[in-house]
Amino acid sequence: MTEVGTARLRKEDARLLTGQTLWTDNIDANGLLHLAVLRSPMAHARIDRVDVSPALERPGVVAAFSGADLAQGMGSLPCAWPVTEDIVLPDHPPIAVDEVRYAGDPVAVVVARDRYAAADALEAVEVEYTPLPPVLDLEKALAEGAPLVHTDKGTNRCYDWPLRGGEDFDAVRRRAEVTLKRRYHQQRLIANAMEPRAVVVTPIAASDEYTVHSSTQIPHILRVMLAVVTGIPEHKLRVVAPDVGGGFGSKLQVYGEEAITLAVARRLGRPVKWTESRSEGYLATHHGRGMIQDVEIAANRDGRLLGLKADLLVDMGAYLMLVTPGIPILGAFMYPGIYKMDSYELNVTGVFTTRTPTDAYRGAGRPEATYAIERIMDDLAVELALDPVELRRRNWIRHEEFPYTTVAGLTYDSGNYEAATDRALALFDYDKLRAEQADRNQRGDTVRLGIGVSTYTEMCGLAPSRVLRDLRYAAGGWEAASVRMLPTGKVEVVTGTSPHGQGHATSWSQIAADVLGVPFDDVQVVHGDTRAAPQGMDTYGSRSLVVGGTAVHHAATKVVDKARKVAAHLLEASEGDLEFTDGVFSVKGSPDARRTIQEIAFETFTSHDLPDGVEPSINAGHLTDPDNFSYPHGTHLCAVEVDTETGQTRIRSYVGVDDVGRVVNPMIVEGQVHGGLAQGIAQALYEEAVYDDEGNLVSGTMADYLVPSAPDLPEFVTDRTETPATSNPLGVKGVGEAGTIASTPAVVGAVVDALRPLGVRDLRMPCTPERVWQALEEASA
């Protein structure tokens, strides 16, 4: 039995479930101080005066600093993805000095002997503001004479980024028999990781060294960027991501609080901890999505697609965070989805507003793209009087056409959309549900049945460094791993990926165990510490298995190759005469002449009898930089019941069939899909960051921002088809974001499908009971 493909229980879980773990907020140190952040209550204002001295008189307070106090020695927070040459890049101080630009912008910090004293002393800090006009509406922000978020830049337009593929869209539009235009809104979303953000900085003053523990997805990137922001030499910084309780993109960031805590610890020469409160996190952790999509599709009456055009207005928020401008670019190549067409045109405009900055949120650009193409495909099916599945069949790339270069310029290496769709339709009992829907509509049932379809693909495994170069991304996309054979025959796998719930310790053990032929339990995975795992590009964009897991595979293969030389010498045979099976080297035709890889590891440790010129180690490392993304795909179907009298929506059944290539651990894949579905459904029905006319976040607590729990979600029926990727030796594709990408259009499409006979053509997300009821009232009027 091979390990890869086996549903192993996760190695991580026993420690997590029994509390024998280390979150950042659990870390203690001698002389530890606690930092609290005073945040602006205003969305936009000039700072006239900050006086922290009254806070110093409060019990337990050790220090307090304004932005001006900390400005010396701290640079601007980084944006690593300036997507165009002429992008507007405003300075982003970790703590505001002259002006605040969103409600939640830091303006002062207090340091005390305990967290409660620090928080209480914030109220003593005196700040005087002069209000400035907020900038909230994306279209009005671009109008001449609009108030400016950054006055020195003279505009709220951050950048314009175009993409063209195939024929000229205007020409295609002229010869099309049918054209449709739609506007879709992607509401702002707020990640709700189980663990809030936290950072602990421990200085070694004598040598000016610092250990930074942070609940981050990107310890290696954070180390580089903190060195840039603070001026502390990189080799003097050690960044550790201990157990991290979820991220969903919100911890793919270099936050001001990390830089501030490091600067304060450096100044005071003592360990300092900051942990956000939940309400603080809603204000200050970056938001996701935030986009207006104007989409136009052109087709013939037989349903054949001719072209697609999308104009995007994207809310950057007040500042550009680590990859803020690049998030819509990640989705830009995916608006054509799985479909063939002659023309594609996209225009992205980034807009500054006086709201919390946006950045990566699970799926990062790909869910937005899938939502737009799948929603407008539904509308086109209605226009053409075609079943929505039939319209998709007439246009998708067929399995025999792979590899296929899309009109957007990507080359999809493998896929079988027909197989995934057929399997989903069978599990869903599609025809029976359509018949029931027709019957309910005919009877005028007050509870209407709607069916939503989402056939998706995504680009993930964010890696090809040369592609990232062409997109003006500041870093590469490679990943590192090393495999160490210990003298006792046990194995340590060191990975540059940094998990926060994905199960790397389990999956990487399975990959290494198969290659090396050692027991699964004999493999230990080391990660998340820039001293123990010095090379890596970390975890995001469903890249860990595709890039990081592949690096583990290659490193383990190198170990076997190095061990083969030693085994050949010990067995007095040529390397070509050796077979390696289940961890054992044997001589062809002489099965008794054998050595296990564990024995070889011990022989290299003693180095008593090695071939001349062979170093006494079979350890090996590998850096992987793939030539292409990976392209998982699938078909998701959703049936909803909508009560037309109350507006209440209930998901009656949900089926998702995904193709993520070769599966390493089915149990982990299932968990990733379920988690992704929960987030995608949450966008469709529940979650939204809402601001008032003054720029205040009015959904700033869990009482106001509705995060669904298990009782709010249906039983999922999930299954898989398998077309291995050709871009990596494992044949794997990403899975972490698939459920989120697929589910939102399936659910919203189902709600609209239920209400369409009553005159409702569209609904803004989330499809709350109030919005459904209002749409029905407007339609009936």
Side-chain angles (χ1 to χ4, degrees):
M1 183 183 73
T2 62
E3 284 293 337
V4 170
T6 300
R8 281 278 190 181
L9 291 175
R10 300 197 325 169
K11 287 185 172 184
E12 301 91 333
D13 288 347
R15 189 182 75 254
L16 297 171
L17 291 170
T18 57
Q20 300 175 67
T21 186
L22 188 67
W23 311 110
T24 301
D25 189 49
N26 293 349
I27 293 169
D28 203 354
N30 289 332
L32 180 68
L33 300 174
H34 295 261
L35 184 145
V37 180
L38 181 67
R39 301 185 182 278
S40 169
M42 308 182 72
H44 198 195
R46 185 170 62 248
I47 300 174
D48 297 321
R49 185 178 74 92
V50 179
D51 186 359
V52 299
S53 58
L56 296 172
E57 300 174 4
R58 292 297 185 96
V61 172
V62 173
F65 304 99
S66 67
D69 296 331
L70 293 175
Q72 186 174 1
M74 277 208 300
S76 178
L77 291 175
C79 173
W81 205 336
V83 295
T84 63
E85 189 173 347
D86 59 350
I87 188 173
V88 175
L89 282 170
D91 288 338
H92 185 184
I95 181 169
V97 178
D98 302 313
E99 196 170 310
V100 293
R101 293 183 170 88
Y102 65 96
D105 213 352
V107 294
V109 298
V110 173
V111 188
R113 293 187 177 88
D114 67 69
R115 66 195 309 169
Y116 306 105
D120 289 345
L122 290 178
E123 65 183 16
V125 178
E126 298 176 1
V127 186
E128 294 179 2
Y129 299 99
T130 297
L132 297 171
V135 179
L136 302 170
D137 185 283
L138 295 181
E139 292 176 306
K140 291 180 180 178
L142 298 177
E144 187 175 349
L148 298 176
V149 180
H150 299 276
T151 308
D152 60 319
K153 300 303 180 184
T155 181
N156 291 321
R157 186 183 299 268
C158 178
Y159 68 88
D160 289 300
W161 189 92
L163 180 63
R164 303 288 184 271
E167 300 178 34
D168 178 70
F169 183 79
D170 289 336
V172 165
R173 182 198 288 122
R174 284 192 294 270
R175 63 181 170 87
E177 296 170 342
V178 178
T179 60
L180 294 180
K181 292 183 180 180
R182 294 290 186 268
R183 168 168 281 201
Y184 304 120
H185 292 262
Q186 295 282 335
Q187 78 271 36
R188 275 177 169 248
L189 301 174
I190 303 174
N192 280 269
M194 187 175 292
E195 178 204 21
R197 290 189 293 123
V199 58
V200 176
V201 179
T202 306
I204 304 175
S207 55
D208 197 29
E209 294 180 64
Y210 303 86
T211 297
V212 179
H213 285 82
S214 181
S215 55
T216 181
Q217 298 174 216
I218 52 168
H220 298 90
I221 294 173
L222 179 60
R223 182 192 189 204
V224 174
M225 294 305 186
L226 284 178
V228 171
V229 173
T230 64
I232 297 172
E234 185 182 349
H235 67 287
K236 298 285 189 177
L237 287 172
R238 175 190 180 191
V239 175
V240 181
D243 291 307
V244 176
F248 315 115
S250 71
K251 295 175 183 175
L252 165 58
Q253 195 54 265
V254 178
Y255 282 105
E257 292 88 356
E258 290 162 321
I260 292 167
T261 307
L262 177 55
V264 170
R266 186 184 196 186
R267 182 171 296 203
L268 300 180
R270 290 177 62 177
V272 178
K273 176 191 290 187
W274 171 80
T275 301
E276 73 177 1
S277 66
R278 282 290 176 190
S279 57
E280 193 176 19
Y282 277 80
L283 287 171
T285 296
H286 75 240
H287 294 179
R289 312 285 194 260
M291 180 188 297
I292 297 173
Q293 302 168 306
D294 287 310
V295 185
E296 182 177 1
I297 199 165
N300 285 335
R301 279 286 169 193
D302 62 2
R304 178 179 175 268
L305 296 185
L306 298 178
L308 182 75
K309 183 177 185 290
D311 294 309
L312 313 181
L313 284 180
V314 187
D315 189 350
M316 303 284 98
Y319 296 101
L320 302 182
M321 302 291 279
L322 189 65
V323 292
T324 302
I327 297 304
I329 310 307
L330 280 175
F333 297 91
M334 301 311 301
Y335 279 79
I338 67 172
Y339 307 115
K340 296 178 286 189
M341 59 187 71
D342 301 329
S343 174
Y344 173 51
E345 180 179 318
L346 177 86
N347 302 287
V348 183
T349 299
V351 184
F352 290 112
T353 64
T354 52
R355 285 188 282 240
T356 301
T358 59
D359 209 300
Y361 182 92
R362 197 171 191 167
R366 281 77 50 82
E368 297 93 310
T370 300
Y371 184 84
I373 183 61
E374 291 302 286
R375 288 294 318 283
I376 205 165
M377 285 293 283
D378 284 347
D379 287 343
L380 181 61
V382 172
E383 177 71 19
L384 299 175
L386 286 173
D387 181 273
V389 175
E390 176 58 26
L391 177 63
R392 287 161 169 83
R393 287 188 192 278
R394 294 185 186 187
N395 289 284
W396 64 38
I397 304 157
R398 301 193 63 81
H399 70 275
E400 65 268 14
E401 296 178 283
F402 290 96
Y404 184 90
T405 300
T406 74
V407 70
L410 297 178
T411 299
Y412 297 172
D413 64 322
S414 68
N416 192 328
Y417 308 142
E418 306 98 300
T421 303
D422 288 344
R423 181 62 178 152
L425 291 171
L427 291 171
F428 192 66
D429 210 348
Y430 184 81
D431 291 338
K432 183 177 179 181
L433 282 168
R434 282 293 184 199
E436 180 186 343
Q437 179 188 43
D439 180 61
R440 285 196 187 197
N441 290 345
Q442 186 176 13
R443 288 188 285 106
D445 199 330
T446 58
V447 178
R448 294 300 178 104
L449 179 64
I451 297 169
V453 180
S454 175
T455 49
Y456 80 97
T457 187
E458 60 154 322
M459 53 182 278
C460 62
L462 192 64
S465 295
R466 284 174 288 186
V467 173
L468 295 177
R469 171 204 63 196
D470 294 341
L471 294 174
R472 300 180 62 87
Y473 184 59
W478 50 266
E479 195 48 78
S482 61
V483 175
R484 301 194 290 241
M485 290 292 301
L486 305 180
T488 55
K490 309 303 181 185
V491 180
E492 287 181 336
V493 172
V494 181
T495 177
T497 64
S498 185
H500 43 283
Q502 293 88 345
H504 294 183
T506 303
S507 298
W508 284 202
S509 295
Q510 291 179 271
I511 293 168
D514 268 1
V515 176
L516 300 173
V518 300
F520 168 79
D521 290 328
D522 284 358
V523 184
Q524 182 79 13
V525 177
V526 178
H527 60 78
D529 183 338
T530 61
R531 182 168 295 170
Q535 288 184 295
M537 291 302 294
D538 305 318
T539 296
Y540 41 87
S542 297
R543 71 186 301 272
S544 293
L545 176 59
V546 176
V547 193
T550 296
V552 171
H553 170 85
H554 283 304
T557 300
K558 286 182 177 180
V559 169
V560 174
D561 292 341
K562 293 176 76 172
R564 186 183 300 276
K565 294 182 183 296
V566 179
H569 174 74
L570 295 174
L571 293 170
E572 297 180 345
S574 68
E575 291 183 46
D577 287 336
L578 290 188
E579 295 178 333
F580 182 70
T581 306
D582 296 332
V584 177
F585 291 100
S586 60
V587 180
K588 296 176 184 176
S590 302
D592 292 336
R594 62 200 305 273
R595 290 293 179 96
T596 67
I597 196 167
Q598 291 95 333
E599 291 173 317
I600 301 301
F602 187 77
E603 290 290 345
T604 56
F605 168 69
T606 64
S607 65
H608 291 168
D609 186 14
L610 296 181
D612 293 339
V614 172
E615 63 181 359
S617 170
I618 57 173
N619 299 340
H622 189 85
L623 274 75
T624 291
D625 197 346
D627 295 326
N628 196 4
F629 302 100
S630 78
Y631 299 96
H633 68 83
T635 296
H636 287 224
L637 302 170
C638 178
V640 301
E641 292 182 327
V642 182
D643 189 324
T644 59
E645 294 179 336
T646 66
Q648 184 68 41
T649 296
R650 181 182 75 88
I651 296 179
R652 175 168 145 179
S653 61
Y654 193 100
V655 169
V657 176
D658 298 288
D659 191 322
V660 296
R662 190 182 182 199
V663 171
V664 173
N665 188 316
M667 190 178 299
I668 289 177
V669 166
E670 194 83 355
Q672 286 289 305
V673 171
H674 280 209
L677 291 176
Q679 284 191 264
I681 292 170
Q683 178 174 10
L685 298 179
Y686 300 107
E687 297 187 22
E688 182 177 21
V690 179
Y691 285 82
D692 66 16
D693 292 341
E694 299 301 316
N696 300 303
L697 182 67
V698 297
S699 56
T701 71
M702 283 190 167
D704 309 297
Y705 185 93
L706 188 56
V707 180
S709 59
D712 302 306
L713 299 169
E715 291 288 331
F716 303 126
V717 176
T718 59
D719 201 357
R720 291 184 301 277
T721 56
E722 183 174 311
T723 53
T726 63
S727 56
N728 63 77
L730 292 172
V732 296
K733 304 177 183 180
V735 69
E737 296 161 304
T740 305
I741 291 167
S743 57
T744 307
V747 175
V748 176
V751 177
V752 174
D753 184 61
L755 302 179
R756 192 176 278 114
L758 301 174
V760 176
R761 191 176 74 170
D762 191 25
L763 282 167
R764 284 186 62 168
M765 295 185 289
C767 301
T768 60
E770 180 184 11
R771 280 188 176 156
V772 170
W773 185 84
Q774 286 178 339
L776 287 167
E777 288 294 298
E778 292 170 5
S780 65

